[in-house]
Structure formats: structure tokens, C-alpha cells
Amino acid sequence: MTTEHAEIERLLKRAHEELFDEADAARQQWCGDAVHLRGIVEFSNVCSRNCLYCGLRRDNAALPRYTMSVEEVLAVVAEAEKEGVRTIVLQSGENDGEQVKQLAQMVFAVKREFDAAVTLCVGAKPTDYYYVWAEAGADRYLLKHEAATPELYNKFHPDSRIEERLAALARLRALGYQVGTGCIIGLPGQTLRDLAGDILLARDLDVDMAAFGPFVPHPDTPLCLADPGDLALSLRVVAVARLVLGPVHIPATTSFDAIEPDGRERALRCGANVIMANLTPARYRRLYDIYPSDRLANSIERVKLILERLNRPLAEDQGHSLKRPVERQLCREPQKV
Ligand code: SF4
């Protein structure tokens, strides 16, 4: 363990109120009071991986699978744009059979039709894919490392390696994406030292976004009997991440509300500056069953109520990187893939 790990561990043990106040002040300093709303479209629940904690894992044969068409995606984005959503997150399982061209067309269509940034969250892919999606106009890529400690990562991800994800993040950055990483808090066997490593990894990767959310056990997975992540610890991780990472976008992830109904609100009080609303049509949304939650309740209206209670405004801009200027805007229609 390095001195830095010990220092982060010490921060993670600090008294809540003092830590949360300091993190909230740091959030105010780096990000201001406006909260960025990201609209998530879970366009496919097909996944080739078998992560032990996730309801989308390929061995969950009970789950019907779906993939939305470009037209379906455009329809929900059109509604969201009217409500002030300026970033669209296109999210799916990590599908080895994914049609690279179809997602490129989806990205291009959203960028052509709407004044919105596009974030992709579709897992680790060949570099050629990242290139095609960047040319189509994708601005950002979220690829959570999930667990920085290799033994922990390997225990819960039987068919991928942490080194591959870190290499993928480096390639994404080289291609001009704004990149994000993050981890799950409360996986069985995880220690404060592991979490310190997760925060330090996000710092060393110099990411633009960092998402930390509590573990929520799913009944149809090998971790069905495990305890959920602890809310207080999860909030402390968000707070310490804000103090260590400075000017990055930190979401109050939806998993906070799966632990406690006001979980996201509390995360926004201790360092977070981003919130998500789910735009996925109801008939698909119940099938994007990563973990048990009140999926239908995560609406734009609910997000606005949370912001009202916090007395914080909705950001009007697209909420690009707080660290570096954004230059690339290709938006080229995919020709050959
Ligand atoms: Fe697939 Fe992601 Fe779930 Fe793993 S965490 S099973 S890659 S959707």
C-alpha cells in the first residue's frame, strides 16, 4: 500500500458532516451549482459477458433481449430535448455481435437531428469501432473499470481483464473522446484500500467523468445473496472522489436511489454534479434489468423535483469536460464499416 492509498483511506473514514461539507464546497468551486442532466437510452440489453453481479449477464436466460431501432431512439430523444436534456447517453450490454454500423448510424442521426452531446456506454471494443463512432459524432465514452484491484476485478468478471479496459480507456482518449471511468462500491470482499485504489486510478487516468455507485444485488445472479453496498460508505466515496479528482463530472448514479429513495439527492449534496434520467421506452426499460430498482420512476420530472428540493438549477449547456477544450465534432455519416 502506498502513502497515497493510506491518505485516501483516512479521508474515507472521516466524520460524515465535515467531509460532506468540504466536498460540497469543492463541487461548488469546480462545477458551480447547476446540475447536468444526462438522458439515458438503454438501446439494447444484449450482452456477451457474464459479470457475476449483473442481471444482463449472458447466462441469465430468463431475461428477454431487445435492441431498439434508430427510429425508436430518435423518437425518445426528440421528447427529451423539449425537456432540456442536452446530453444523450446511448447505453447497452457489452455485445460482441453488436453491429458497429448500426450504432454509428444511431450516433450520426442523433447528432444531425439534435443539439445534444452523445456519450457511449457499450463496453470495451476494438479500436476501429471507437474510430467509426467518433467520426459519426460521439463526444464521450464511459467505460467503468469497476474494480481497480486486479484480484477483485478478475473474481467478478470471468471473461474480461482490467488491463484490457485500461488500454481501451487510453485508446479512447487518444481518439479525442472525453472519457469516464468508475467503480462499484460494496462488492463482496472489497476493502477501503481497494476503494482508495479506485479513486487513485480515476485520478491517474485523468478522466473527465467518474461514476461511483453502490452495489445492488440481483436475484438472478451468483451474487443474489450478497449484502448491498452501504449508503454511507458510498456517499463518502463520492465526497472523497470530489476532493481528490477536482474538476470532473461526478454523477449521483441511479443505484443510489435503489439503496435509499433519496440516495441521489444525498449524493448531490456531497460532491456530485450530474444526474441521469431514463429515456428508454417503458416496454424496454423493465428489461434493462442490471439490478432491481424502480426503473419506471427515474423520469425527467423526478429529476426536476430533486433539483427543486436542492434549490439547484438545471445546467443549460451540454456539460462537456471541465478539464480541456472540446475540439472534435466530425459527425460524418458512416459509409463503410
Ligand atoms: Fe454485460 Fe456490463 Fe452487465 Fe457485465 S456489467 S454483464 S458487461 S451489461
Side-chain angles (χ1 to χ4, degrees):
M1 183 172 69
T2 66
T3 319
E4 285 185 318
H5 282 77
E7 175 60 15
I8 304 284
E9 273 196 65
R10 189 189 65 75
L11 287 174
L12 286 169
K13 290 176 187 166
R14 277 178 63 188
H16 291 187
E17 274 185 27
E18 187 184 273
L19 174 63
F20 292 173
D21 286 351
E22 209 173 301
D24 198 44
R27 184 271 308 156
Q28 218 280 337
Q29 177 199 339
W30 292 114
C31 317
D33 281 332
V35 176
H36 292 282
L37 169 59
R38 317 297 199 199
I40 298 190
V41 185
E42 297 152 336
F43 68 90
S44 174
N45 68 350
V46 178
C47 189
S48 307
R49 306 282 169 262
N50 226 6
C51 307
L52 266 59
Y53 49 80
C54 178
L56 300 196
R57 63 201 308 271
R58 67 169 184 264
D59 281 359
N60 185 5
L63 185 70
R65 306 287 171 160
Y66 72 87
T67 298
M68 290 171 64
S69 67
V70 173
E71 292 71 28
E72 286 176 307
V73 170
L74 291 180
V76 295
V77 174
E79 290 306 308
E81 193 191 40
K82 292 179 199 157
E83 298 292 330
V85 174
R86 306 293 313 281
T87 289
I88 300 300
V89 182
L90 297 175
Q91 181 167 307
S92 73
E94 198 165 309
N95 179 4
D96 286 342
E98 189 167 49
Q99 297 298 308
V100 58
K101 188 167 184 178
Q102 187 189 12
L103 181 52
Q105 284 168 337
M106 208 177 269
V107 171
F108 178 74
V110 171
K111 294 295 291 192
R112 183 187 54 198
E113 304 279 333
F114 306 104
D115 179 20
V118 169
T119 302
L120 298 181
C121 182
V122 298
K125 298 288 178 183
T127 306
D128 290 359
Y129 289 25
Y130 302 148
Y131 182 78
V132 171
W133 297 331
E135 277 215 315
D139 302 278
R140 309 175 193 144
Y141 206 106
L142 177 61
L143 185 67
K144 288 170 68 179
H145 66 266
E146 309 294 8
T149 306
E151 299 75 34
L152 205 60
Y153 185 91
N154 295 339
K155 187 170 160 190
F156 298 111
H157 305 89
D159 39 17
S160 56
R161 316 286 299 173
I162 183 73
E163 298 80 10
E164 294 162 3
R165 286 182 100 74
L166 299 185
L169 281 163
R171 291 196 298 273
L172 287 160
R173 164 60 52 70
L175 284 170
Y177 282 94
Q178 299 164 59
V179 297
T181 192
C183 77
I184 304 170
I185 304 157
L187 285 169
Q190 185 185 53
T191 63
L192 285 189
R193 183 183 307 181
D194 293 319
L195 289 169
D198 288 314
I199 294 170
L200 287 170
L201 177 61
R203 183 203 63 181
D204 294 346
L205 290 170
D206 194 22
V207 290
D208 305 290
M209 315 171 272
F212 304 93
F215 165 62
V216 185
H218 188 292
D220 298 325
T221 66
L223 298 189
C224 58
L225 298 179
D227 290 331
D230 179 71
L231 179 65
L233 174 61
S234 302
L235 293 169
R236 286 205 300 273
V237 171
V238 167
V240 173
R242 172 59 70 201
L243 294 176
V244 173
L245 303 180
V248 300
H249 290 298
I250 298 181
T253 64
T254 313
S255 57
F256 273 97
D257 274 10
I259 299 290
E260 286 285 336
D262 66 344
R264 286 192 296 173
E265 191 173 329
R266 293 169 70 175
L268 284 165
R269 290 183 194 278
C270 66
N273 71 312
V274 172
I275 193 164
M276 276 84 73
N278 197 321
L279 311 182
T280 313
R283 65 183 178 283
Y284 297 130
R285 203 184 293 189
R286 63 183 182 80
L287 301 176
Y288 204 84
D289 190 22
I290 292 186
Y291 51 75
S293 66
D294 188 0
R295 305 183 53 69
L296 292 178
N298 185 17
S299 62
I300 296 172
E301 293 71 34
R302 176 152 170 185
V303 164
K304 288 183 175 174
L305 281 176
I306 291 173
L307 299 195
E308 254 177 53
R309 282 201 294 273
L310 291 166
N311 196 23
R312 280 167 64 185
L314 191 64
E316 293 180 1
D317 63 308
Q318 294 184 354
H320 284 304
S321 172
L322 297 163
K323 289 183 169 176
R324 45 200 131 234
V326 174
E327 292 161 7
R328 186 182 48 74
Q329 278 284 359
L330 285 178
C331 305
R332 195 172 293 155
E333 188 163 20
Q335 299 294 328
K336 55 183 169 79
V337 178

